[in-house]
Amino acid sequence: MKNVSENSTDLLADHTLFVFSPTPNDRSFQLQMEQLAARRHALREHDVEVAEVFEDRRGLMGENELAPDRCDGLRRQFHVPNGRFCVMLVGKNAHIRMVADSCVSCEEVIMRVEHDPQLADAAFE
């Protein structure tokens, strides 16, 4: 398992689905991850990486470990306060495509990715 550094952006897929949670024991986090587990292959087919971001502990970005200070940095970067559960779909250029304070379906994520005008523009370059 690789450790993702503070400035590492080369590991980001075209889209990253950040799941911010106070702890892995948070009920909303557990429900969201159960929903995503069944469709993880569909997310990968759409080049969506899932990142689990916690407070005061290591997280994950795909198979890569996020150090606690990197998790804190992501919370600050995307203005997610401690104690808040939040799901955020972010493009590789840090463009926020979706924010939700409750669980989201894989279908919603895929719809947002498929209708990303920046990806469509890139296909014609």
Side-chain angles (χ1 to χ4, degrees):
M1 186 177 297
K2 214 161 122 178
N3 191 21
V4 179
S5 69
E6 181 70 30
N7 297 317
S8 181
T9 56
D10 57 327
L11 297 174
L12 291 177
D14 282 344
H15 287 88
T16 302
L17 184 67
F18 289 100
V19 182
F20 292 95
S21 179
T23 72
N25 298 323
D26 182 83
R27 185 67 181 141
S28 294
F29 173 79
Q30 291 174 349
L31 290 170
Q32 181 65 74
M33 297 315 289
E34 285 174 18
Q35 250 184 1
L36 296 177
R39 303 288 313 275
R40 195 67 78 127
H41 68 281
L43 292 173
R44 278 192 292 268
E45 287 174 1
H46 286 84
D47 202 22
V48 176
E49 187 73 73
V50 177
E52 303 168 18
V53 183
F54 305 111
E55 297 170 19
D56 303 324
R57 68 177 65 212
R58 295 187 181 281
L60 290 173
M61 184 176 292
E63 299 294 319
N64 299 300
E65 197 170 85
L66 293 171
D69 62 329
R70 179 64 174 133
C71 289
D72 185 54
L74 287 167
R75 281 187 170 277
R76 284 193 316 270
Q77 177 182 351
F78 293 112
H79 308 287
V80 179
N82 284 345
R84 180 177 173 203
F85 173 83
C86 177
V87 180
M88 186 177 297
L89 180 63
V90 179
K92 194 167 191 158
N93 62 355
H95 177 73
I96 298 172
R97 302 284 303 144
M98 177 182 65
V99 179
D101 290 326
S102 59
C103 296
V104 298
S105 70
C106 286
E107 290 75 16
E108 174 73 12
V109 173
I110 291 168
M111 182 197 74
R112 300 282 180 140
V113 168
E114 287 178 346
H115 294 96
D116 187 340
Q118 293 175 348
L119 287 181
D121 291 345
F124 294 107
E125 290 179 354

